Every structure is written in structure tokens, then in C-alpha cells.
Amino acid sequence: MMIIQNSLDTSTRLEDVSRELWQFIGSYESCINDPAKCKHIHQKLSHFNQNHSENSDHISDVIQALSKGFYLIKSGLEWQEPAVGHSSIDKPNDTHKARGIQWRLVITWGGFETITKTLLLKKGNRGLDTENIKSFMVQCDLINNYNPLNPPDSTRLNLEKWLNKNPSIEGKSALADFLSLGKEEQEIIENWIVKSQPVSNWVEAVRLAKALRNATAHGALSASKVKEWGLQKPLLALSDNLAEIVVAAMQKLI
């Protein structure tokens, strides 16, 4: 219940700051014939990247991308009882609920990544790397005040065998190999699950969210494993964390 309440609180703050932002920005069309407004919006965007343009087409593209990202995050947060895989006539079981929680994070990550890449002016299909994430947290003034996210209980049934700290020939733990993780993703997952180190700051939270999102979207992390390893609450918390970061970013644009 506490996590659901936190989600509602975050959703409310997201709505509030979004309302203020759109009041400041106005509609997409309002910028086309208003150079002064474009210049004002450009000044705000320059906080994240000095290479943003005052051109009205660029400003309109940015506004549309921010709107797209916002509604993705909003949709994720409003999915208060997520479940995927059950029929319309059957109640969802625990596996359906675990899968829903996974895809709630996938949706929220999509919105977060869209907004972050737009503000950082990071183009192309490449995702956010650790340096991008660190830079964005600094620009959002999110360096401290993170509520640590504890690792899953290492004594849980069916988790212990994945905690082998001896790397394979490829240098990956059994867990990292199972989840088909890249180097950066491997590091944060192994620190959190294998080494049982709490996630202690916003950068680590984003990196963990990215790793779990990718493992889910690529099909490596199943709903049954989420349930067995006790990842439901951390996944919900990470979705909220991403939304909280977006709130901080939007406040910089007002």
C-alpha cells in the first residue's frame, strides 16, 4: 500500500509541474510566430545543452518530444494494479502481476529516456550511458537525498544459485550471463544482487532501472524470476524514481 501511495504522490507532482510547464510553453503552434517565446524557451533548454536552437521548428520538435515522454510516464504511474497475460474473464495471478510490474517499468523508462535524450540533445538510437545519466542528475540537482533501495533477500528460494561470485570465462557472473547483460548493466546488477549492495544514489537507480528494463524488454528476465527473486517492490520503486527525476527536470524548464 505504501508503494501505491508513493506512486500516487509522484503522479500528482508530475501532473502539477507538467501543468505549470505547458502554461509557460503554450501550444506547439504558439511558438511558430513568436520569436520572443522561442528565445525564452531556448534559454531554459540551454540549461541542459547550450546547442539547443532558437529555431521555431526545433522548439516545436522539443515540445512534442517532451509531451510524448510525459504521457508515457503518466501512463506508467497511473497503472496502479498492473497485470499482463491474464484473460479478461480471469483474475490475474501473481505471475501476471509481476509481469505487469515489469512492463510498467518498461513504459516509464520509455518516457524517461525520451525526455532525457531530448533535453540533453542526444540524437540517434543509442541509449543513455552512465556519463549521460550523471550529467543529467547534476543538471536536475539530484546528487543527494536518495532513499536507498535495498537488494533482494539473498536467502530467497531459487536465488541463491545465481549468486555465484566467481565469474565465468567471459567474466560474467551466472546472473549476468543469464540476463544477457552488457558491461555497464552487469556491473550495477552484480553490485545490487550478487554483492548485496544497496542502490544509494540517483545515478545508480537509473542504471539499475535501465538494466532491469533491458532484461525485461529483451526477454531475459521472466515474470516467474521477478516473483521468485522478490523484485516486485524494487521495480515499482524504480518506476517512481524515474518519474521523480522527470519532475525535477521539468522544474528547471519553468
Side-chain angles (χ1 to χ4, degrees):
M1 182 63 69
M2 180 60 68
I3 289 179
I4 292 176
Q5 186 61 50
N6 287 343
S7 295
L8 290 172
D9 291 344
T10 305
S11 181
T12 298
R13 288 189 286 113
L14 183 68
E15 286 273 14
D16 290 344
V17 74
S18 175
R19 189 180 303 109
E20 291 185 54
L21 180 60
W22 302 136
Q23 287 174 350
F24 160 67
I25 289 177
S27 64
Y28 309 142
E29 295 82 4
S30 68
C31 297
I32 296 176
N33 298 313
D34 192 344
K37 176 173 279 190
C38 286
K39 185 174 183 178
H40 195 187
I41 294 172
H42 169 259
Q43 289 173 346
K44 296 291 186 177
L45 293 174
S46 295
H47 172 76
F48 293 96
N49 191 317
Q50 294 288 332
N51 292 321
H52 277 286
S53 170
E54 292 183 21
N55 179 276
S56 61
D57 289 339
H58 174 75
I59 298 297
S60 292
D61 288 345
V62 167
I63 294 171
Q64 292 185 59
L66 294 179
S67 178
K68 176 183 176 181
F70 164 74
Y71 282 107
L72 278 172
I73 292 179
K74 183 174 182 289
S75 297
L77 292 188
E78 289 179 346
W79 197 6
Q80 287 299 306
E81 296 182 3
V84 174
H86 62 292
S87 69
S88 59
I89 59 175
D90 295 327
K91 290 185 177 181
N93 59 31
D94 289 344
T95 300
H96 299 142
K97 293 176 182 177
R99 187 178 297 113
I101 290 170
Q102 285 182 270
W103 285 96
R104 182 178 186 266
L105 177 63
V106 172
I107 293 170
T108 308
W109 175 267
F112 170 82
E113 186 175 45
T114 297
I115 289 172
T116 303
K117 290 177 69 174
T118 298
L119 294 177
L120 292 179
L121 207 57
K122 183 176 172 59
K123 299 180 180 180
N125 296 323
R126 295 192 64 181
L128 299 170
D129 59 27
T130 299
E131 290 307 311
N132 297 144
I133 295 167
K134 288 179 178 178
S135 174
F136 196 65
M137 294 307 103
V138 170
Q139 291 161 330
C140 292
D141 290 331
L142 291 175
I143 305 301
N144 301 310
N145 301 322
Y146 181 77
N147 188 23
L149 182 65
N150 290 324
D153 183 357
S154 62
T155 64
R156 288 184 68 92
L157 182 67
N158 296 323
L159 180 56
E160 186 176 355
K161 72 176 183 178
W162 300 104
L163 301 183
N164 178 12
K165 296 178 175 58
N166 296 319
S168 64
I169 296 175
E170 294 79 14
K172 291 185 177 182
S173 66
L175 181 66
D177 189 53
F178 175 73
L179 295 178
S180 301
L181 299 174
K183 184 177 180 180
E184 287 192 355
E185 298 164 340
Q186 172 188 345
E187 180 185 31
I188 189 64
I189 286 287
E190 290 182 345
N191 286 344
W192 189 58
I193 296 182
V194 179
K195 298 180 181 178
S196 296
Q197 297 176 355
V199 166
S200 60
N201 58 63
W202 291 99
V203 172
E204 290 179 357
V206 175
R207 292 178 61 206
L208 180 61
K210 177 186 176 184
L212 292 173
R213 176 268 175 201
N214 288 348
T216 293
H218 299 159
L221 180 61
S222 67
S224 61
K225 284 291 182 288
V226 168
K227 187 176 63 172
E228 290 171 6
W229 297 348
L231 300 182
Q232 296 96 318
K233 288 185 178 181
L235 286 166
L236 286 168
L238 289 169
S239 292
D240 285 352
N241 288 165
L242 297 177
E244 289 166 10
I245 295 167
V246 167
V247 168
M250 285 183 165
Q251 288 173 334
K252 296 295 182 182
L253 298 176
I254 298 172

